[in-house]
């Protein structure tokens, strides 16, 4: 049998940074450690961390935890999760990927400025849920051609478009084209309002 080695393998920068930080916390003797969702989509790593005392929890578990350090993974979380952690008196280590944090800051700022936030991505993906959690008021998540065609922009608001970091670039371009055809008097989508936030 021939075995070919892939040119690249391993974790992306954001996930590697998050996993490394959890191992550092273990070395520092921090205990107990919890991660909000699995730190990586890799069962071997998650199970190794479990053996070392790191438990995976979900957002709804936060109020029941009395002590410990919670790690916010690279996908990031919405503002209300930080509030829940503070209300529970838990310390936390935030390893949200800087590229995701950048999107949080964009949607926070632009939604506060009164713009209509449109996110291209999967509404069930934790990263997208986290991004939605930084929008003042509502936002719209579009993931398909059909959804974008059926979407009716708010005629009174300037739109601001961002994308899930792992969204397909060709799909992004396709959906942008559809959106750009939807023009209103005061609501023209221009290049300044469309931010390609897909990760390299
Ligand atoms: S934004 Fe990019 S580097 Fe960061 S976690 Fe996502 S894929 Fe990885």
């Amino acid at each position: 049998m021939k075995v070919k080695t892939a040119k690249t393998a391993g974790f992306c920068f954001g996930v590697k940074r998050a996993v490394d930080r959890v191992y550092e916390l273990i070395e520092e003797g921090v205990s107990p450690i919890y991660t909000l969702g699995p730190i990586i989509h890799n069962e071997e790593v998650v199970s190794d961390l479990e053996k070392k005392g790191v438990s995976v929890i979900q957002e709804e578990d936060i109020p029941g935890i009395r002590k410990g350090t919670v790690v916010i993974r690279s996908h990031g979380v919405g503002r209300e999760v930080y509030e829940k952690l503070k209300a529970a008196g838990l310390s936390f280590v935030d390893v949200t990927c800087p590229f995701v944090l950048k999107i949080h800051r964009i949607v926070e700022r632009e939604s506060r400025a009164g713009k209509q936030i449109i996110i291209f991505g999967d509404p069930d993906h934790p990263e997208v849920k986290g991004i939605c959690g930084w929008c003042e008021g509502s936002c719209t998540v579009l993931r398909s051609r059909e959804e974008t065609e059926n979407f009716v922009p708010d005629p009174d608001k300037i739109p601001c478009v961002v994308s899930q970091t792992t969204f397909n670039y060709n799909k992004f371009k396709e959906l942008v084209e559809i959106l750009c055809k939807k023009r209103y008097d005061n609501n023209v989508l221009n290049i300044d309002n469309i931010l390609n936030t897909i990760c390299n």
Side-chain angles (χ1 to χ4, degrees):
M1 184 183 27
K2 261 192 165 182
V3 177
K4 276 193 171 180
T5 7
K7 272 190 195 155
T8 53
F11 321 151
C12 66
F13 149 79
V15 172
K16 183 177 183 311
R17 176 175 168 267
V19 171
D20 287 351
R21 187 69 191 107
V22 178
Y23 279 105
E24 276 169 22
L25 291 172
I26 297 167
E27 294 229 328
E28 287 162 17
V30 175
S31 177
I33 301 172
Y34 302 97
T35 65
L36 257 181
I39 195 82
I40 178 172
H41 303 299
N42 178 311
E43 278 177 28
E44 275 177 42
V45 176
V46 173
S47 124
D48 182 55
L49 288 171
E50 220 170 281
K51 284 183 206 137
K52 294 180 164 75
V54 179
S55 313
V56 177
I57 56 159
Q58 305 303 326
E59 192 186 321
E60 52 275 20
D61 300 321
I62 294 172
I65 296 170
R66 292 286 153 259
K67 73 180 200 66
T69 299
V70 178
V71 179
I72 298 172
R73 61 185 172 168
S74 55
H75 287 322
V77 292
R79 187 191 298 126
E80 81 288 354
V81 179
Y82 291 88
E83 282 159 13
K84 271 190 193 171
L85 288 166
K86 284 178 195 158
L90 293 167
S91 58
F92 58 88
V93 172
D94 186 358
V95 284
T96 304
C97 177
F99 302 133
V100 177
L101 270 183
K102 186 178 147 201
I103 306 176
H104 290 177
R105 296 293 84 84
I106 292 170
V107 297
E108 185 183 26
R109 183 186 68 233
E110 299 301 321
S111 60
R112 276 196 185 145
K115 291 190 187 160
Q116 181 179 31
I117 306 296
I118 300 160
I119 303 158
F120 288 149
D122 173 359
D124 298 321
H125 192 285
E127 180 193 309
V128 174
K129 289 184 179 171
I131 296 170
C132 293
W134 285 97
C135 296
E136 288 273 315
S138 64
C139 61
T140 302
V141 183
L142 301 170
R143 73 173 137 187
S144 67
R145 184 181 180 92
E146 195 189 6
E147 282 176 9
T148 311
E149 276 167 351
N150 293 335
F151 169 65
V152 182
D154 184 334
D156 298 323
K157 284 188 173 182
I158 295 170
C160 170
V161 182
V162 294
S163 171
Q164 181 180 334
T165 57
T166 47
F167 202 63
N168 177 286
Y169 179 63
N170 289 332
K171 188 116 171 249
F172 174 82
K173 281 201 301 185
E174 183 191 0
L175 302 191
V176 164
E177 269 177 34
I178 299 170
L179 264 191
C180 285
K181 286 183 188 138
K182 298 174 188 277
R183 290 176 183 273
Y184 293 80
D185 290 348
N186 299 315
N187 190 11
V188 178
L189 257 173
N190 64 45
I191 203 73
D192 293 339
N193 299 330
I194 303 170
L195 300 154
N196 175 3
T197 51
I198 296 172
C199 178
N200 288 331

